[in-house]
Amino acid sequence: MVRGRYRRKRRIVRVKRRIKCLICFFILVTLYRILFDSYSLFESEANSTADVDIAFFCIDDTYDAETINIGEIGPDDKEPKEYKITVSNFRMIDGEKYRADTNIEYDLELRTTTNLPLKYELYVDDSKENNIRNNIKQDEYNTYFKCIYEEVAHKLDRTKDQTRTYTLKISYPEGEEYKKSEYQNIIDCVEVKIDARQIYR
């Protein structure tokens, strides 16, 4: 009888110990998640203030696509929103520079949906010329989109570090016809696609 009571007490003590261990484990996991999420929020906040919105690194053959989500933009904005896109043939990783071993050739395309009647300007490097083209195209899903810029076979030299900068300016057109409620809460974005390949000449 005494032995049975003693066993029950030991079993209760073991169960309580396990419950305490589980509670401690969940507290540790929760603390880790809070710290990790806070760090992620800080990192994204810190990165969003950088001068470059999209950076492509063409070290070898690559195909990539990024999206510029246009923030709130409206008829009352006096200044255009500015976004920078860079394409480089080198990359810094942990303080060490890696550059393409061969010459690189890349195609770049900027395309947008036709949801809003936005005005686009694009300047390459230090050029003052607006390079925007408004070509309406159709993709393989029969969806129409506007190709606002296209560059084919631009070459980056393997013997030196090279970076090409594209400055995209987006503004809302002036005029009462663009202040209609039908444009309210409509989202637009710009897709940036790059196709790079190594060339041996």
Side-chain angles (χ1 to χ4, degrees):
M1 195 79 165
V2 174
R3 190 180 290 172
R5 202 176 300 157
Y6 176 73
R7 282 182 180 164
R8 270 197 301 273
K9 281 184 181 178
R10 283 191 62 183
R11 199 175 301 140
I12 290 168
V13 168
R14 274 200 303 264
V15 169
K16 285 182 178 178
R17 225 182 258 154
R18 285 180 184 160
I19 290 171
K20 284 179 184 176
C21 286
L22 280 172
I23 290 170
C24 287
F25 175 75
F26 283 119
I27 288 171
L28 286 171
V29 169
T30 305
L31 284 172
Y32 175 78
R33 289 292 299 167
I34 290 168
L35 291 171
F36 181 76
D37 289 345
S38 301
Y39 178 73
S40 298
L41 287 170
F42 170 76
E43 280 295 298
S44 65
E45 190 67 32
N47 290 338
S48 68
T49 59
D51 291 332
V52 177
D53 295 279
I54 294 176
F56 291 110
F57 301 102
C58 299
I59 308 296
D60 49 22
D61 292 351
T62 184
Y63 177 84
D64 200 1
E66 295 283 345
T67 301
I68 297 174
N69 290 315
I70 301 166
E72 291 183 8
I73 189 168
D76 298 327
D77 294 332
K78 302 299 180 194
E79 294 295 319
K81 290 190 180 295
E82 191 172 294
Y83 303 90
K84 285 200 184 294
I85 303 154
T86 60
V87 181
S88 303
N89 67 341
F90 68 95
R91 185 172 196 169
M92 298 296 291
I93 301 174
D94 296 329
E96 193 171 340
K97 184 189 290 180
Y98 295 88
R99 189 167 65 209
D101 295 328
T102 64
N103 293 331
I104 296 286
E105 204 174 62
Y106 71 85
D107 305 334
L108 181 77
E109 182 185 53
L110 276 75
R111 65 188 207 174
T112 180
T113 54
T114 53
N115 296 337
L116 290 171
L118 299 175
K119 181 184 171 188
Y120 297 95
E121 298 171 69
L122 185 90
Y123 302 95
V124 182
D125 291 331
D126 297 323
S127 170
K128 303 297 181 195
E129 180 190 349
N130 182 8
N131 291 280
I132 285 297
R133 308 284 180 265
N134 286 311
N135 300 325
I136 302 295
K137 292 185 177 182
Q138 196 173 9
D139 65 14
E140 63 271 21
Y141 306 107
N142 296 324
T143 304
Y144 287 95
F145 65 90
K146 189 186 290 184
C147 181
I148 58 175
Y149 181 75
E150 198 168 15
E151 185 169 16
V152 179
H154 184 80
K155 188 176 174 182
L156 297 173
D157 188 351
R158 68 180 176 83
T159 62
K160 56 188 174 185
D161 297 345
Q162 287 189 298
T163 298
R164 195 156 165 86
T165 304
Y166 303 85
T167 304
L168 179 65
K169 295 183 178 182
I170 304 172
S171 54
Y172 205 90
E174 296 178 3
E176 289 301 315
E177 67 270 26
Y178 299 114
K179 296 184 180 182
K180 297 175 183 174
S181 60
E182 64 190 79
Y183 295 127
Q184 192 173 353
N185 297 324
I186 292 179
I187 296 171
D188 215 330
C189 65
V190 177
E191 185 182 37
V192 185
K193 295 167 69 177
I194 190 163
D195 186 6
R197 54 208 166 267
Q198 297 178 340
I199 54 173
Y200 299 92
R201 59 179 186 276

